[in-house]
Amino acid sequence: MSTQASAARDTTEGRVYTVTGGDWDEVVQAAAQADDERIIVNMGPQHPSTHGVLRLILEIDGETVTEARCGIGYLHTGIEKNLEFRNWTQGTTFVTRMDYLTPFFNEAAYCLGVERLLGIQDQIPDRATLIRVLLMEVNRISSHLVAIATGGMELGSTTIMIYGFRDRELCLDLFELITGLRMNHAFIRPGGLAQDLPPGTLDALREFVKTMSRNLVEYDKLATGNPLFKGRMRDVGYLDLAGCMALGATGPVLRSAGLPHDLRKSQPYCGYETFDFEVPTDESCDSYGRFLIRMAEMRESLRIVEQCVERLREPGPVMVADKKIAWPAQLSQGPDGTGNSLDHIRQIMGTSMESLIHHFKLVTEGFRVPPGQVYEAIESPKGELGAHVVSDGGTRPFRVHFRDPSFTNLQAMAAMCEGGQVADVIVAVASIDPVMGGVDR
């Protein structure tokens, strides 16, 4: 704790610190005036760990990190504030851009919150819920692949990086097939989905499971048992269970400390209680354990995807029946590759003047959500992703705030790095897998 930022006094309860705030410029000045060899080093904000514009401020004594802090805010986009100026359905186009590696989780958390406020959780079609689970689990795989690929590259293993991004392309191909986009999908919407799975999706998913099951073996051969890989990650970025609990760390960081906490099991949503899968844990509390957990979680996600494919054989609706909520999204492929369904437009235009007016009001104004507030939490690849959604009864959110796991987990950076080597800082940050789009929002 910096002496510039706090004062201490002894009480009957023990020593109490009063924190008054501080600035790193003061820390730099104090270090410059000191007689020892301590140096303040700025690592970043030019992508120090390829996880975004993160600034790491390190006080070092030789090669040892004596104090470490994060500087964030370089990727602030004002997404949460922008949500207050768009209707409830349009909000999905904003939240999908927060953590850009986990767009479907952002959309799902937001939409589940809106649906709870509307009181329509039981009206969401089963097929829509299954497709949500399917998309989230494929997205979990793609997110973990980026974590492993970039983490391997930072260790000098460009082969792992090539393998990771090669396999991530398989996930993005599926996203493009289903939603038309590789990222920023806005596909999960309040009440269901934008549209149903296109023809050929289930066959593509089966082929994806086969290919990924075969490819994951390559990572084990290349990295899992590699003595150099293990030696570089073992006992680096150490954070035990007590530290995780004190800092609010979740996801692979928490499960690497041995606690099998996963909201899909402990607080099921989207019917996860009906799926057969395990929650991998490790006792190492270090970067290598987090790598092993991500590898195991990808295999479990493939199991869930297989179960989804089996259950999606029968067709069905993917949006609530209530036309006052169901956003019309009948699309067809035109000469330019996109477009609205002309048959659907003719049906709306030709039914009645009342239906046309209602369609116009729903699209331009949006539906109203009863006053109230909810907190909806789901298990993203990085940990607990929570959406605090507040409505004042209007057609727009009064307030939407996200508990992003990257933001919370990044608090553990100092505990992981202080006392270690400068070279280990990158490994520790990579094992947290923060994405600055979710941190800054």
Side-chain angles (χ1 to χ4, degrees):
M1 183 177 292
S2 172
T3 56
Q4 270 71 30
S6 64
R9 58 189 174 89
D10 293 321
T11 69
T12 56
E13 302 291 330
R15 176 158 289 192
V16 175
Y17 291 91
T18 303
V19 179
T20 58
D23 189 89
W24 271 100
D25 291 336
E26 298 174 0
V27 178
V28 172
Q29 292 172 8
Q33 295 169 2
D35 294 332
D36 56 21
E37 296 296 321
R38 292 181 302 160
I39 303 172
I40 302 295
V41 175
N42 266 298
M43 189 178 287
Q46 293 83 18
H47 287 234
S49 188
T50 72
H51 290 275
V53 279
L54 171 65
R55 178 189 180 200
L56 301 177
I57 307 152
L58 308 176
E59 181 184 279
I60 61 175
D61 183 2
E63 285 291 316
T64 303
V65 178
T66 56
E67 195 164 1
R69 293 292 180 269
C70 294
I72 64 173
Y74 296 95
L75 200 58
H76 179 56
T77 49
I79 285 174
E80 291 182 350
K81 192 64 180 177
N82 273 308
L83 288 169
E84 300 171 19
F85 298 91
R86 297 292 186 274
N87 66 43
W88 293 94
T89 302
Q90 290 172 331
T92 58
T93 63
F94 283 97
V95 299
T96 190
R97 288 167 162 79
M98 295 189 310
D99 182 342
Y100 36 80
L101 293 182
T102 61
F104 290 114
F105 292 91
N106 303 330
E107 297 172 22
Y110 170 75
C111 290
L112 288 172
V114 176
E115 288 160 5
R116 270 184 63 191
L117 283 173
L118 288 167
I120 60 170
Q121 308 98 300
D122 297 333
Q123 301 175 33
I124 308 301
D126 291 341
R127 185 174 179 83
T129 300
L130 280 171
I131 295 174
R132 287 179 176 183
V133 171
L134 170 72
L135 292 171
M136 284 191 284
E137 292 308 316
V138 176
N139 199 176
R140 191 183 308 278
I141 295 170
S142 70
S143 177
H144 283 344
L145 285 170
V146 172
I148 291 171
T150 55
M153 180 177 62
E154 289 144 13
L155 294 177
S157 176
T158 53
T159 309
I160 293 180
M161 184 269 291
I162 292 170
Y163 281 6
F165 280 98
R166 174 201 66 185
D167 292 338
R168 179 174 177 252
E169 284 298 308
L170 303 177
C171 302
L172 298 185
D173 287 344
L174 284 174
F175 296 159
E176 188 172 8
L177 172 65
I178 295 170
T179 72
L181 295 166
R182 288 162 57 89
M183 60 189 298
N184 301 338
H185 311 277
F187 188 75
I188 299 174
R189 300 183 180 180
L193 305 170
Q195 57 185 12
D196 201 355
L197 298 176
T201 301
L202 297 184
D203 291 336
L205 285 164
R206 293 187 187 98
E207 189 61 34
F208 167 77
V209 171
K210 291 179 184 177
T211 304
M212 277 304 304
S213 299
R214 184 173 61 250
N215 289 357
L216 286 178
V217 178
E218 297 178 350
Y219 295 87
D220 287 326
K221 292 179 179 178
L222 184 65
T224 304
N226 188 325
L228 292 175
F229 191 84
K230 292 166 68 175
R232 191 67 184 85
M233 299 184 76
R234 279 258 171 91
D235 299 323
V236 173
Y238 185 89
L239 187 69
D240 60 14
L241 182 57
C244 290
M245 300 299 287
L247 294 168
T250 54
V253 177
L254 177 61
R255 290 190 283 275
S256 71
L259 185 67
H261 175 70
D262 190 313
L263 291 173
R264 295 175 295 173
K265 290 285 191 181
S266 60
Q267 191 178 310
Y269 55 93
C270 290
Y272 268 109
E273 65 275 12
T274 65
F275 288 90
D276 180 26
F277 67 99
E278 304 298 327
V279 178
T281 60
D282 194 82
E283 300 288 342
S284 63
C285 307
D286 59 15
S287 297
Y288 183 66
R290 288 163 211 142
F291 163 77
L292 294 179
I293 284 173
R294 291 187 175 101
M295 287 295 300
E297 285 186 359
M298 286 194 287
R299 293 188 172 92
E300 296 301 319
S301 291
L302 288 175
R303 289 177 60 191
I304 297 174
V305 169
E306 283 185 302
Q307 295 170 59
C308 287
V309 170
E310 290 303 311
R311 299 186 193 183
L312 285 168
R313 289 180 174 180
E314 298 298 324
V318 294
M319 182 58 82
V320 291
D322 188 351
K323 294 300 181 183
K324 292 186 177 181
I325 297 173
W327 186 279
Q330 297 292 327
L331 304 177
S332 63
Q333 187 168 347
D336 61 348
T338 61
N340 287 317
S341 169
L342 293 178
D343 292 336
H344 181 60
I345 294 174
R346 291 191 189 98
Q347 190 268 333
I348 294 173
M349 297 286 286
T351 302
S352 67
M353 181 57 70
E354 287 77 10
S355 65
L356 180 60
I357 293 172
H358 185 74
H359 172 93
F360 179 80
K361 283 181 65 64
L362 181 62
V363 172
T364 56
E365 183 180 287
F367 51 79
R368 294 187 178 275
V369 174
Q373 59 180 325
V374 298
Y375 176 76
E376 192 70 35
I378 65 174
E379 188 70 31
S380 90
K382 299 167 179 61
E384 179 180 332
L385 172 64
H388 180 207
V389 186
V390 185
S391 172
D392 60 359
T395 58
R396 301 174 181 178
F398 177 77
R399 181 77 169 94
V400 177
H401 174 65
F402 278 83
R403 182 224 186 260
D404 192 276
S406 290
F407 177 80
T408 309
N409 292 347
L410 205 52
Q411 295 180 107
M413 192 277 294
M416 290 182 180
C417 298
E418 289 176 359
Q421 301 293 297
V422 175
D424 291 338
V425 172
I426 293 295
V427 180
V429 173
S431 73
I432 298 173
D433 186 30
V435 173
M436 304 312 292
V439 173
D440 296 335
R441 296 187 298 285

